[in-house]
Amino acid sequence: MCEHEIINGVRYAYRWLRKVDLEFPTVICLHGFTGTSKTFTFTGHDLNYLAIDLIGHGDSSIYVHPYRYQMSALVRDLAQLVSELDISSFYLLGYSMGGRVALSWMLEYPRGIKGVIIESGTAGISDTKQRHQRQKADDKLAKRLLTKPFTEFIDYWEDLPLFHSQKKLSLQKKEAIRMERLSQHPFGLAMSLMYMGTGAQKNYWPLLSECAIPLLYIAGEWDRKFNVIGLDLVKQNPEFSFQLIRNCGHCCHIEQPRGFEKLVTNWIKEKESEPPYENC
């Protein structure tokens, strides 16, 4: 069941997947593009899981000023949301777009963050020309969302090579993912692409070496692109580590949910047993 908070005029929907006791570590889960908090189905193991619908997705606000979709505005809102929920310390777990949000949150508003788990995300595009090219491509996709039938866009999105491994999922899982995507609103997705897509995102690569927050990067065996990105990312900082999950592609937490949750749980338990560190 979703609850809501208004943060700086934007409504954010969130739900507890499991709330054991706030004395235990809390993990804040951030979904990917076209997804919602429903993509996460973690069961606990002495962890509290809080999933948030990002702006333009799920039950969170859609029709707000486009600038509210900018990554810097989003992570400021999320940091305030967590503060208002009286969560003083927490881990971040972000998938794909949510991974980029988690990384931005860690670097811009590190207070209270004990660790970050990135699933198939990136720190941005370092090459200026390539970043501008990606922004043009994202803007073109946004225009397609606003001018073409929505089902055509979802058909196109599901057929991207990035998601081909999901064709191996059960019919029930595939239908659930498709219904989640179809439940979105074209305007919210278009603004997300234009204002916080990979092309619009800051280049965070130069800042990674300065961060003292531990980070775990998770990638699927069949997702070659994000294997390379993840391995490059963890080289930037001795506090960062990389884990590969076998027999899955871009979306490990859906394709191999048990293995993914076990990896997350074990990593957090390991970090909880270590002495505290200085924040970024």
Side-chain angles (χ1 to χ4, degrees):
M1 180 178 176
C2 275
E3 300 177 71
H4 303 87
E5 288 284 341
I6 305 296
I7 307 295
N8 301 317
V10 177
R11 185 182 74 166
Y12 287 94
Y14 62 91
R15 64 189 184 96
W16 290 97
L17 310 180
R18 182 172 173 84
K19 191 174 183 180
V20 185
D21 187 323
L22 289 182
E23 292 299 316
F24 291 113
T26 293
V27 185
I28 297 173
C29 304
L30 308 169
H31 61 79
F33 180 70
T34 76
T36 70
S37 60
K38 294 178 182 178
T39 188
F40 299 109
T41 57
F42 303 126
T43 56
H45 301 288
D46 295 334
L47 296 174
N48 304 297
Y49 284 102
L50 175 68
I52 301 172
D53 285 347
L54 299 176
I55 189 171
H57 290 72
D59 290 325
S60 289
S61 288
I62 296 170
Y63 292 108
V64 294
H65 196 289
Y67 285 176
R68 298 308 306 277
Y69 281 82
Q70 292 177 325
M71 188 72 80
S72 58
L74 172 62
V75 295
R76 180 188 65 227
D77 286 352
L78 294 176
Q80 184 175 333
L81 169 63
V82 169
S83 177
E84 294 194 9
L85 293 177
D86 293 324
I87 303 172
S88 59
S89 63
F90 52 93
Y91 291 85
L92 293 177
L93 188 161
Y95 160 64
S96 197
M97 180 184 76
R100 294 190 291 106
V101 174
L103 193 65
S104 174
W105 188 345
M106 175 184 78
L107 294 170
E108 297 197 23
Y109 296 93
R111 184 175 181 180
I113 300 176
K114 303 177 74 175
V116 174
I117 300 163
I118 304 295
E119 176 192 358
S120 310
T122 180
I125 301 174
S126 57
D127 183 84
T128 302
K129 183 177 180 180
Q130 292 180 7
R131 189 164 64 252
H132 288 165
Q133 288 174 343
R134 176 57 185 267
Q135 189 165 19
K136 287 182 180 179
D138 287 344
D139 288 349
K140 185 177 180 180
L141 273 181
K143 183 178 179 181
R144 180 173 181 170
L145 270 162
L146 296 173
T147 58
K148 303 291 184 181
F150 187 49
T151 52
E152 287 185 13
F153 176 84
I154 296 301
D155 290 342
Y156 157 79
W157 191 255
E158 290 180 336
D159 201 41
L160 290 174
L162 196 64
F163 303 119
H164 278 185
S165 59
Q166 292 184 16
K167 297 181 187 297
K168 301 175 183 289
L169 295 172
S170 68
L171 179 61
Q172 182 180 13
K173 283 190 175 182
K174 286 188 288 188
E175 288 180 344
I177 293 169
R178 182 171 175 83
M179 291 305 296
E180 183 181 34
R181 287 170 172 155
L182 287 171
S183 72
Q184 309 297 343
H185 195 285
F187 183 83
L189 298 187
M191 294 302 101
S192 297
L193 280 172
M194 292 178 68
Y195 291 93
M196 64 172 176
T198 307
Q201 176 181 324
K202 293 178 184 177
N203 171 25
Y204 287 114
W205 287 95
L207 302 180
L208 296 176
S209 62
E210 303 171 4
C211 189
I213 295 176
L215 181 147
L216 172 65
Y217 192 102
I218 300 175
E221 176 185 9
W222 301 326
D223 189 356
R224 293 182 180 180
K225 174 181 176 180
F226 284 89
N227 267 268
V228 172
I229 290 173
L231 289 170
D232 284 345
L233 193 147
V234 300
K235 289 177 184 176
Q236 310 302 313
N237 194 309
E239 293 291 336
F240 297 173
S241 59
F242 177 90
Q243 285 288 334
L244 186 75
I245 295 187
R246 301 290 180 184
N247 300 316
C248 65
H250 190 62
C251 191
C252 307
H253 73 272
I254 286 179
E255 297 175 49
Q256 293 293 341
R258 292 182 181 177
F260 183 87
E261 184 172 356
K262 182 178 179 181
L263 179 58
V264 167
T265 301
N266 289 342
W267 186 79
I268 290 176
K269 285 183 176 180
E270 178 186 326
K271 295 306 165 188
E272 287 291 297
S273 68
E274 294 177 356
Y277 56 86
E278 292 184 3
N279 234 330
C280 288

